[in-house]
Amino acid sequence: LSRIGDELYLEPTESGLSLRAVNSSRSAFASFLFAPLFFQLYEPGSAGPDTELFRCKVHMKSFLGVFRSLPSLEKSVGKCLILLKPRASRLVLQLHCKHGVTKTHNLAFQECERLQAVFDTQHCTSRLCAPARVLAEAVVHFPPTLAEVTLGTGPGGKISLRNYVEDEAEPSKTMVTELWLAEDEFQSAAVAPGSHITFCLKEFRGLLSFAEASNLPLTIHFDEPGR
């Protein structure tokens, strides 16, 4: 999530604790839902019949600072208690360590709007599914400073990834890197001929690193540019 945005949105609901982030241009959004069964104890709070549960946002760096150095935390911390205190405008994180030591972090938060991406994958004309490793190995060839990449289709059902060039009609000294992936490298591929779409590479790398570490396949739904 920290690769997506600078703020972390927390929303406790009856179906679990939602952690979300959005980038500054609102072109990338990510959401993780921790179901109640994930926790030893989960109490989302109470809401009246006409009111919603409280939600807030905190600075991402402040939240990450609490969980810095995960290997040592896993050895020393027995459990973590997360308390949302709306009246005090504080998110309290308590780390219950061995030998009776408790570390308490009080993070200031802001109330926020509901953060939810609106999309319908059923109406997308193109769909790709591949192991995250395949796509992670493909984007390695692009420089870390590259902002955007274009995903497109070619002859024979091949899928191309290339660095985005703003105006291809004019001669340019920009170096173009393009990779072609055969259709059989994907678990499934149903792509509209001639389609292409450009998106941010930084957030895509973040998603790929999580999916690859979790050994998960990645499904990509897309339509015409702008949708």
Side-chain angles (χ1 to χ4, degrees), residues 13-227:
T13 67
E14 293 294 336
S15 56
L17 177 63
S18 169
L19 301 182
R20 296 170 174 153
V22 64
N23 66 354
S24 57
S25 62
R26 300 207 161 222
S27 63
F29 164 84
S31 175
F32 285 80
L33 178 68
F34 294 87
L37 286 174
F38 175 83
F39 303 95
Q40 292 175 328
L41 173 67
Y42 178 74
E43 295 176 351
S46 58
D50 299 322
T51 59
E52 295 183 344
L53 291 168
F54 187 81
R55 65 180 74 93
C56 68
K57 64 181 179 182
V58 296
H59 287 295
M60 186 72 74
K61 286 185 178 179
S62 300
F63 192 86
L64 289 178
V66 177
F67 302 100
R68 191 178 290 120
S69 184
L70 276 178
S72 62
L73 284 180
E74 290 176 347
K75 294 177 182 177
S76 61
V77 177
K79 62 181 178 179
C80 172
L81 179 65
I82 302 174
L83 294 171
L84 198 58
K85 295 186 174 182
R87 291 182 181 178
S89 295
R90 288 290 183 272
L91 175 68
V92 180
L93 299 166
Q94 282 188 348
L95 301 178
H96 293 259
C97 309
K98 293 179 180 178
H99 313 298
V101 176
T102 300
K103 297 179 180 178
T104 303
H105 301 263
N106 287 282
L107 305 183
F109 65 65
Q110 294 177 298
E111 292 185 47
C112 62
E113 74 281 9
R114 182 177 178 84
L115 186 66
Q116 182 63 58
V118 179
F119 58 91
D120 183 4
T121 57
Q122 299 298 318
H123 288 84
C124 291
T125 57
S126 301
R127 179 183 180 275
L128 294 169
C129 183
R133 176 185 51 80
V134 171
L135 295 165
E137 290 176 352
V139 299
V140 160
H141 298 280
F142 295 106
T145 54
L146 183 65
E148 295 177 316
V149 66
T150 298
L151 173 73
T153 60
K158 288 184 177 180
I159 307 299
S160 72
L161 279 170
R162 62 178 294 176
N163 55 317
Y164 174 64
V165 180
E166 190 165 349
D167 191 354
E168 297 190 21
E170 295 183 7
S172 172
K173 295 181 180 179
T174 305
M175 185 178 75
V176 175
T177 302
E178 186 171 18
L179 294 100
W180 290 91
L181 298 171
E183 194 173 1
D184 59 10
E185 294 188 67
F186 295 85
Q187 294 171 340
S188 64
V191 182
S195 61
H196 67 277
I197 190 166
T198 299
F199 52 89
C200 295
L201 184 57
K202 175 190 170 186
E203 291 86 348
F204 188 58
R205 287 188 201 269
L207 175 63
L208 283 176
S209 66
F210 170 78
E212 189 177 16
S214 306
N215 197 28
L216 295 170
L218 200 70
T219 303
I220 302 173
H221 299 268
F222 63 98
D223 209 334
E224 61 188 38
R227 290 186 58 181

